[in-house]
Amino acid sequence: MGVAVVLLLVVLLLAVAGLATAARRRGARSHGPDGTLRTPQAAGPPREGDGLGTKVRALFGGGVADDTWRRLEDLLVRADVGPVAAGDIVARVRADFRAGADPADVLRDELVAVLGDDEPLRLPPGALGVILVVGVNGSGKTTTIGKLASRLAGEGKRVSLAASDTFRAAAGEQLDVWATRAGAHIVAQARGADPGAVAFDAVKSASARGADVLIVDTAGRLHTRQPLMDELSKVKRVIEKAGAKVVETLLVLDAQTGQNGIAQARAFTEAAEVTGVVLTKMDGSAKGGIVLAVREELGVPVRFVGVGENVGDLEAFDGRAFADRLLAG
């Protein structure tokens, strides 16, 4: 009998302990308005992985003070927007913000306004239009040319390419591969040939073939080397002497470049009158705020974004979609 009593007491103790544990778990939950149980989350500052929109809402969560606007400016700078553009954007957000508004939505509207309306390529009807593509090595320039050629060919245009990047090893071969993928004709010469001569021959060849568009690759020159930038201007003059007109000069920028992209954009704009930007490598973890800095400080629109490595991975730029992506992080 003694053993049976002891066993009974043990069972009762275990049951009591189980009930106590269950009670504690129930106490850690609350009922939502729909009657379901919810486990409360600990409050705290936004995590590092939170998107820009989440961080902005957290910043305004405790009310609005003068320090709030300085911290908002800091958030934009860390998103690669740049100090000058960030200051201008915050000043306008501050003027438009009203109590009770969603600060992320107010910021989104301002970003869309900065980016402006989407601008398609300006290609002349019934005549050869030349697109000059510039950018530093590693920005994805040659790949972008191949994607753009494929996109234009898909729209029914006859496309020719000029391999005027005659300095980088295998640049011509790489462009030839992309020409094959895009179904475009290519004009190239031996490595080390004069870039202007290649462009001149390409204009003549494209005109003879009745091409609608000629896309000219250029050397991935560093913006800090003035002689190379002078050469870029020379290529443009040679194209005009050949009887064609450069209707677009597209600057290819790596989305992960950061503030160095502003210096690149400024130098290339001075040398070649850049009319649009193509932002590459948006399929990675790039913040891409550099686009806002380029647009705000230089007034250059974004035309396309590269979102992958395949021939079809070049999308027309959508300012609102870009702002949503930037705020989502």
Side-chain angles (χ1 to χ4, degrees), residues 190-271:
R191 183 183 175 193
D194 179 65
V198 177
F200 186 92
D201 290 347
V203 170
K204 294 299 185 182
S205 176
S207 298
R209 288 174 170 270
D212 300 302
V213 184
L214 171 63
I215 307 176
V216 180
D217 191 9
T218 61
R221 57 201 83 250
L222 296 175
H223 62 277
T224 54
R225 298 182 62 183
Q226 189 59 38
L228 292 178
M229 299 303 287
D230 291 340
E231 184 183 313
L232 183 59
S233 299
K234 174 187 172 183
V235 169
K236 183 177 179 180
R237 292 194 300 270
V238 168
I239 291 171
E240 293 172 347
K241 287 181 179 179
K245 182 179 180 181
V246 177
V247 295
E248 294 279 2
T249 299
L250 300 181
L251 170 62
V252 179
L253 281 181
D254 183 339
Q256 302 181 48
T257 301
Q259 290 307 295
N260 190 44
I262 299 178
Q264 291 179 20
R266 183 175 290 109
F268 279 112
T269 299
E270 293 171 355

